[in-house]
Amino acid sequence: MSPWAVSYQRRIRYSDIDSQGIVFNGNYLSYYDDAITDLFLKAGLKAADMHAAGYDVLTVHASVDFKATAELFEDLEVKVRIAKIGNTSVTFAIESTVGDKVTTEATVIYVIVDADSFEPIKVPASLVAAMQAIHPEPIATAG
């Protein structure tokens, strides 16, 4: 069984590549955001519902390790899972591939914030439960 909770597929288009003919590095963050959005949707967590429950999410950190190129018209797969849930944050592990070739490995961290003040708050138990329900393996959590 795959450790990934969600897989997002994208065919590389002209708008994705740079003058070197490979995916422009900044585009990977958009792909990761699409995959994380799919993860939230799979867990039944829509932005409007989170706002109604009094919380939102903010990206506070992203790191990307380039491993290999992805080129025009190749089919890129972006896989995501939650690596850890902290007191106020959620850490996502991400891997992009073309076939069996890993193109990037990444970490993205969201902080859970009050929907009105944008101050960090404890990760809601409902978010933890929803995410755990769609993950094939237990998610590491703080305390």
Side-chain angles (χ1 to χ4, degrees):
M1 179 188 277
S2 170
W4 304 103
V6 166
S7 172
Y8 166 78
Q9 308 287 324
R10 181 180 180 85
R11 173 141 314 141
I12 303 302
R13 305 291 186 188
Y14 287 112
S15 60
D16 296 309
I17 63 172
D18 59 19
S19 62
Q20 295 170 309
I22 62 175
V23 170
F24 172 66
N25 61 70
N27 286 337
Y28 280 102
L29 293 175
S30 293
Y31 306 156
Y32 303 158
D33 189 63
D34 289 342
I36 291 170
T37 297
D38 286 355
L39 181 87
F40 271 82
L41 291 174
K42 183 176 178 181
L45 297 168
K46 296 179 181 174
D49 296 335
M50 291 187 295
H51 292 169
Y55 70 95
D56 203 342
V57 297
L58 295 176
T59 302
V60 296
H61 176 81
S63 63
V64 180
D65 292 320
F66 175 83
K67 301 294 182 180
T69 61
E71 300 175 12
L72 185 62
F73 301 131
E74 289 186 315
D75 292 318
L76 185 76
E77 180 179 18
V78 179
K79 297 170 276 197
V80 63
R81 64 180 170 79
I82 294 179
K84 180 178 96 176
I85 297 178
N87 290 318
T88 62
S89 65
V90 178
T91 302
F92 301 92
I94 302 169
E95 178 181 89
S96 65
T97 58
V98 172
D100 292 333
K101 175 179 70 173
V102 175
T103 58
T104 65
E105 293 175 343
T107 300
V108 173
I109 300 173
Y110 281 8
V111 166
I112 310 303
V113 296
D114 178 271
D116 294 321
S117 70
F118 288 96
E119 292 296 319
I121 61 171
K122 183 170 177 48
V123 177
S126 58
L127 185 148
V128 175
M131 289 299 184
Q132 187 60 69
I134 66 164
H135 277 72
E137 299 173 358
I139 299 170
T141 57

